[in-house]
Amino acid sequence: MSGFVEKPEPLQVPGLVHLHTGKVRDLYQNEAGDLVMVASDRMSAFDWVLPTVIPDKGRVLTQLSLWWFDQVAELMPNHVLSTELPAGAPADWAGRTLICRSLQMVPVESVARGYLTGSGLLEYNESRTVCGLALPEGLVDGSELPAPIFTPATKAAVGEHDENVSYEVVARQVGADTAAQLRQATLAVYAKGRDIARDRGIILADTKFEFGFDGETLVLADEVLTPDSSRFWPADQWEPGRAQPSYDKQYVRDWLTSPESGWDRKSEQPPPPLPEQVVEATRARYVEAFERLTGTSWS
Ligand code: ATP
Ligand code: MG
């Protein structure tokens, strides 16, 4: 079992049609046919959307994505049309809402990895490969890879796992030309993001992009280089051979799997609400990632 512990009801906003409730974002269409993307404060972990929200999280993700879209604008066009709040939208949507070009999404999670961890490490330990790509012997959790790699995954529905696949599988699914474009764009945006993050004392270990087509043009969509879509590690604490401290859901995952939560991940039961100190610590990590990367203060 997995999915939403409590699925939120879409809001009724005049002139907007509700399209989809994602794990984090609510999607609407406006009268011009553009996408209205509202990033909520919802948090997902272990394929569950938790019953507790992290205040400001949706705003941090939105503002950080906007900053990154600008940083990489010379490499890739992006889907943002406007940050103006639709007329009649709730005040709470301010700062978390983007009007975007509605794209024909490519159904691939375009992942770049510069460091080995997570699902990449699991596959490496079995076969010395990640997504079928051969890697040298001797790498451990947190090792830097000889060069960044494109490790795509298929996009799963809410409550299901994304599945790592080889480049060949992606090429069969979306066509050789599109696959080549995805790989090129993913590695280019990753490299730029990695260099900018490194200057600010943060290792961009890996990240996931989503792309869509506007006619014939491949466009960077969704969110970019946020703590939800990326692993950010404080560079001064990097130590291969163990799990790295990270600017993301680590507090939440650690608490959920600790005896204190009383939750058994393998049970069919939904996870419990998060205690206040876990919410606060998680919010602080998201805000700190924003501040360190952008060099601006959150408040
Ligand atoms: P799911 O929607 O399957 O739950 P998710 O949890 O990643 O996946 P969210 O991030 O909450 O979803 O919602 C964003 C959704 O909007 C994703 O399905 C993403 O593919 C889609 N999306 C992002 N940008 C665009 C765009 N420009 N045009 C159309 N769809 C987009
Ligand atoms: Mg998403």
Side-chain angles (χ1 to χ4, degrees):
M1 259 283 286
S2 54
F4 286 90
V5 176
E6 297 154 16
K7 188 151 186 179
E9 282 297 316
L11 298 182
Q12 304 285 344
V13 179
L16 300 188
V17 177
H18 176 256
L19 298 176
H20 179 71
T21 299
K23 286 193 280 294
V24 171
R25 289 173 183 74
D26 298 320
L27 304 188
Y28 299 80
Q29 190 172 46
N30 66 15
E31 280 163 347
D34 298 323
L35 194 68
V36 179
M37 214 169 75
V38 187
S40 74
D41 292 337
R42 296 193 289 273
M43 166 116 217
S44 66
F46 302 122
D47 296 323
W48 283 95
V49 180
L50 304 178
T52 314
V53 295
I54 308 295
D56 283 333
K57 174 173 175 279
R59 284 195 187 89
V60 171
L61 298 180
T62 302
Q63 298 308 313
L64 188 55
S65 288
L66 280 170
W67 185 82
W68 279 117
F69 278 130
D70 269 354
Q71 302 298 308
V72 303
E74 80 272 21
L75 294 175
M76 265 316 272
N78 66 66
H79 68 162
V80 179
L81 295 171
S82 157
T83 57
E84 206 179 305
L85 210 54
D92 177 61
W93 282 19
R96 61 173 86 247
T97 304
L98 297 179
I99 315 298
C100 300
R101 206 178 295 283
S102 182
L103 302 172
Q104 197 61 50
M105 295 302 286
V106 181
V108 172
E109 307 265 2
S110 288
V111 177
R113 296 173 195 264
Y115 293 75
L116 188 65
T117 192
S119 65
L121 178 67
L122 292 178
E123 182 182 330
Y124 175 82
N125 285 341
E126 295 262 296
S127 60
R128 296 289 175 269
T129 62
V130 178
C131 291
L133 293 169
L135 291 172
E137 289 286 330
L139 301 178
V140 294
D141 193 357
S143 289
E144 184 171 11
L145 300 174
I149 52 176
F150 175 60
T151 60
T154 55
K155 224 179 125 56
V158 174
E160 273 158 48
H161 262 320
D162 296 337
E163 195 193 334
N164 287 345
V165 292
S166 69
Y167 181 77
E168 288 67 35
V169 166
V170 172
R172 269 201 298 279
Q173 191 190 346
V174 301
D177 279 3
T178 298
Q181 280 191 71
L182 290 181
R183 179 167 62 187
Q184 190 276 331
T186 297
L187 292 175
V189 180
Y190 170 79
K192 176 93 189 191
R194 174 202 57 196
D195 292 350
I196 291 174
R198 182 181 286 154
D199 287 345
R200 289 152 168 83
I202 291 180
I203 292 174
L204 173 59
D206 53 35
T207 195
K208 184 263 298 182
F209 302 113
E210 291 187 38
F211 297 95
F213 277 101
D214 178 16
E216 301 287 287
T217 309
L218 192 69
V219 175
L220 188 54
D222 204 51
E223 61 179 334
V224 278
L225 297 163
T226 72
D228 271 12
S229 66
S230 321
R231 284 191 176 91
F232 293 122
W233 298 336
D236 57 359
Q237 294 169 58
W238 176 54
E239 203 185 294
R242 60 152 165 84
Q244 310 301 313
S246 144
Y247 285 100
D248 62 11
K249 320 177 173 179
Q250 208 52 50
Y251 270 97
V252 169
R253 293 200 198 96
D254 289 351
W255 184 78
L256 283 173
T257 50
S258 75
E260 206 197 317
S261 80
W263 183 57
D264 177 5
R265 195 184 155 185
K266 288 179 211 76
S267 73
E268 297 286 290
Q269 296 305 306
L274 304 174
E276 192 49 42
Q277 81 273 13
V278 176
V279 171
E280 252 324 298
T282 303
R283 181 187 175 279
R285 294 304 265 179
Y286 275 75
V287 168
E288 191 184 336
F290 173 89
E291 293 187 331
R292 282 192 74 171
L293 287 165
T294 65
T296 61
S297 142
W298 172 247
S299 47

